[in-house]
Amino acid sequence: MFEEPFAHGASFLHGLDPRFRLGITAIAAVCLAVLRSAGGAFAALVLAGGLLAVGRPPLGWVAKRLCAVNVFILFLWLTVPVFGGGEILTIRGPVAISRSGVELSTLVTLKANAMLFLFLALAASMDSPTFGHALARLRVPPKLVFLFLFTYRYIHVIAEEWGRLWTAARLRGFTPRTDRHSYRTIGNMLGMVFVGSFDRAVRVYEAMLLRGFSGHFQSVAVFRARPRDVAFALTALLCLAGVLAFDVYPDLFRAWGSRD
């Protein structure tokens, strides 16, 4: 029911150890979050876009993800340049557009899309069970891993239950409107889903205890670090260091380029 289109492939990125991919994703996300200049954010966007291209993702799904993220950024562009304050860049009729607002919107746009490319390339290129077991190998608290894996497993069940209730209601002539009857019907359906989910959770937990469940999942997947994993990690860290250096000392890079 919930597709994972980026998790299926035979590219170089898909063959990397999931632990290295998640580790680099976490480090890169922190580095991208602290960038302060549009130049550094643009460099990060180019590198993340190149990394995503290496993974050969389905372009249709990439476009959908880009649209989903940039719809929210569009609202940012409609408000921040107008209400950002500071030096006025231009005046369009009754609207004054500030320079600081445009710069902030540009920075957020570049960083958000760079993070999206990064996560699609490294994190979304593995399925959810592999993602969860890689988190466990990276010493993430076991309860968080347990919660993630169970949520992934049973969100499908809850969605299917809701789909059955919705289909049954439509077959009985229910048409959602903005009236008390519709609100009461949808509320009752949600209540049935929650009650059914709780009953199912109790049964599943009891069944797991009967099978010797000890509080964490046992994975049959074996993660082995190989030379290419180490090489990828070192290359990624060097690229991140370069992006941070360019963000902090842009004049140094300009002077170096003009001297050449």
Side-chain angles (χ1 to χ4, degrees):
M1 184 172 294
F2 297 95
E3 297 180 284
E4 297 178 320
F6 300 95
H8 309 291
S11 68
F12 170 76
L13 294 180
H14 288 86
L16 292 174
D17 190 314
R19 296 171 298 175
F20 283 82
R21 281 189 273 169
L22 285 185
I24 292 299
T25 301
I27 295 172
V30 174
C31 293
L32 290 177
V34 300
L35 294 178
R36 296 175 298 176
S37 69
F42 180 75
L45 177 64
V46 172
L47 291 174
L51 188 64
L52 181 61
V54 172
R56 300 195 298 272
L59 297 181
W61 286 100
V62 173
K64 290 181 181 179
R65 300 298 191 271
L66 282 172
C67 290
V69 170
N70 286 282
V71 162
F72 292 97
I73 295 178
L74 176 62
F75 288 103
L76 188 72
W77 277 98
L78 295 175
T79 55
V80 174
V82 178
F83 302 104
E87 179 186 353
I88 301 300
L89 182 63
T90 183
I91 298 177
R92 301 293 182 180
V95 178
I97 300 175
S98 67
R99 181 182 299 276
S100 60
V102 171
E103 292 175 351
L104 179 59
S105 299
T106 302
L107 179 61
V108 172
T109 301
L110 293 173
K111 289 168 66 173
N113 284 277
M115 287 188 180
L116 174 65
F117 287 162
L118 177 71
F119 275 87
L120 291 181
L122 297 180
S125 58
M126 65 185 81
D127 55 34
S128 295
T130 302
F131 188 95
H133 292 305
L135 289 176
R137 299 296 195 282
L138 293 175
R139 305 302 181 186
V140 173
K143 290 185 177 179
L144 291 179
V145 177
F146 177 84
L147 180 62
F148 172 79
L149 291 174
F150 253 63
T151 301
Y152 165 76
R153 171 62 183 86
Y154 285 100
I155 194 69
H156 300 77
V157 178
I158 296 173
E160 290 173 359
E161 181 65 23
W162 172 258
R164 285 195 294 269
L165 290 173
W166 184 260
T167 301
R170 295 300 299 270
L171 289 174
R172 289 165 174 77
F174 172 69
T175 301
R177 299 185 180 91
T178 55
D179 54 21
R180 181 179 297 178
H181 172 69
S182 296
Y183 296 148
R184 184 169 58 250
T185 302
I186 294 176
N188 290 334
M189 292 167 61
L190 288 173
M192 293 173 64
V193 169
F194 290 140
V195 171
S197 301
F198 178 77
D199 289 340
R200 183 185 293 269
V202 171
R203 293 196 303 270
V204 169
Y205 181 65
E206 291 174 348
M208 293 175 65
L209 290 179
L210 289 173
R211 289 162 175 80
F213 179 65
S214 60
H216 62 276
F217 288 105
Q218 299 294 334
S219 174
V220 297
V222 178
F223 300 144
R224 293 188 177 90
R226 291 161 295 181
R228 66 175 182 176
D229 299 314
V230 177
F232 169 77
L234 292 176
T235 303
L237 291 175
L238 287 175
C239 291
L240 290 174
V243 170
L244 290 175
F246 181 75
D247 183 70
V248 177
Y249 305 108
D251 296 335
L252 180 62
F253 282 83
R254 295 194 190 99
W256 188 17
S258 61
R259 183 175 56 190
D260 291 342

